[in-house]
Amino acid sequence: DPVPAELADERNLDFPLEHAGELMRSLLSALSESPVAKAFGQHEEASSSDSEGGAANQFQDLVWDLEGIGLRNWLRMETNDLERFLPRGNLAELSFGSSSSEDTISLSKDDVEVAKLMLRCAARDRANLLDFEAIDPYRLLHGLPGREIDQELATLPPNIHLDDTDLEVLVDAHQQRLERRSGTIETDKAWLQEGTTIADLYQRELHF
C-alpha cells in the first residue's frame, strides 16, 4: 500500500505552499509559549491569537506573491541548499565558445548582451537592476505595469566620459581576447558578404 499522505515527507514531494500560513501560525504559537514570552507576560491570550492569525495570513499572501513571480524553488530550498550553491574558492577563468568546466566558465552571445546592458545601466547610476520598473519587486508582486529597461534607459542621461558606443567597444574587445585565447575566433559577417561564393565559382566552371 502507498504511504499515507499525512506520513509522507513533504520535502520530498513539493513545498506545501497552501499550508504556509498554517505552518507560520504553528511556529508563532510555539514561540508565544516559550519561557521568554511567558517571562515578559505582556500579551493576553486573545490578542496573541489575533496577532498570530494576522501574521500567518500576511505570510500566506507573501508566499503566493513570491510564487507568482517565479520564486517557488526558493521557497522549497533549505539553508544547506542555499549554502551549497554559493561560490567558493578561486574565480573561474572566462572563455568564449568553449565548453564549461570546473575551472572555466563558458560565455555565450546572450552573456555578452547582458554585459553591455548592465554597463549601460551602471553608467547611468543604475547599478542595481531591481531599481528598474520592469523587474522592480514591488511592481511584480502587485502586478503593476512598468517600462522596459531599454525604454527607461532612454530617459536617463548617458555618462559624460563613456557613451554607450564606447562601452560596447570595450565589451567586444574583451570578447575578442577571450576568443583568441580559446582559439575560436568568429568569422566577421561583413567579410563573408564580400567577394564571390562557392556557388558562383561552380557556375563559372560549368560555363568555362
Side-chain angles (χ1 to χ4, degrees):
D1 295 335
V3 178
E6 62 271 11
L7 298 181
D9 188 351
E10 292 176 325
R11 293 174 300 174
N12 295 330
L13 300 176
D14 200 0
F15 188 87
L17 298 186
E18 63 277 6
H19 300 309
E22 299 175 14
L23 295 175
M24 177 58 70
R25 185 192 298 270
S26 299
L27 175 62
L28 295 176
S29 177
L31 292 176
S32 65
E33 297 298 327
S34 66
V36 176
K38 291 182 176 180
F40 282 96
Q42 296 179 352
H43 65 281
E44 298 179 358
E45 184 175 354
S47 61
S48 175
S49 177
D50 294 339
S51 61
E52 292 170 6
N57 293 334
Q58 292 179 14
F59 182 72
Q60 181 68 68
D61 293 338
L62 173 63
V63 167
W64 291 130
D65 290 336
L66 292 176
E67 186 195 29
I69 60 173
L71 297 182
R72 183 185 183 92
N73 288 336
W74 284 26
L75 297 169
R76 294 167 53 187
M77 294 179 71
E78 297 182 354
T79 54
N80 294 335
D81 295 326
L82 292 172
E83 185 178 359
R84 182 159 52 92
F85 289 107
L86 291 177
R88 291 186 178 85
N90 298 327
L91 295 177
E93 294 288 338
L94 299 178
S95 65
F96 193 88
S98 60
S99 57
S100 299
S101 62
E102 183 177 354
D103 300 324
T104 305
I105 298 177
S106 178
L107 302 178
S108 64
K109 294 182 179 180
D110 290 337
D111 297 323
V112 175
E113 295 303 320
V114 171
K116 293 178 180 180
L117 174 63
M118 295 185 69
L119 285 176
R120 289 169 55 201
C121 296
R124 291 165 171 78
D125 293 330
R126 290 287 187 91
N128 189 352
L129 291 178
L130 297 180
D131 291 336
F132 288 91
E133 295 179 0
I135 50 180
D136 177 32
Y138 180 83
R139 290 180 176 272
L140 291 175
L141 284 172
H142 295 82
L144 300 177
R147 295 172 293 177
E148 295 295 330
I149 295 180
D150 287 329
Q151 295 175 345
E152 198 166 352
L153 283 177
T155 64
L156 301 174
N159 191 283
I160 60 175
H161 303 289
L162 284 174
D163 57 21
D164 293 342
T165 302
D166 295 331
L167 295 175
E168 291 187 2
V169 169
L170 292 174
V171 175
D172 291 336
H174 187 57
Q175 175 185 344
Q176 293 175 4
R177 287 195 295 269
L178 295 177
E179 289 174 340
R180 286 194 295 267
R181 189 167 60 185
S182 61
T184 57
I185 301 179
E186 186 177 0
T187 304
D188 187 1
K189 295 181 179 180
W191 179 82
L192 291 176
Q193 297 175 356
E194 299 176 357
T196 188
T197 64
I198 298 298
D200 293 335
L201 291 175
Y202 183 70
Q203 291 294 331
R204 291 175 185 177
E205 290 296 327
L206 291 177
H207 295 299
F208 179 70

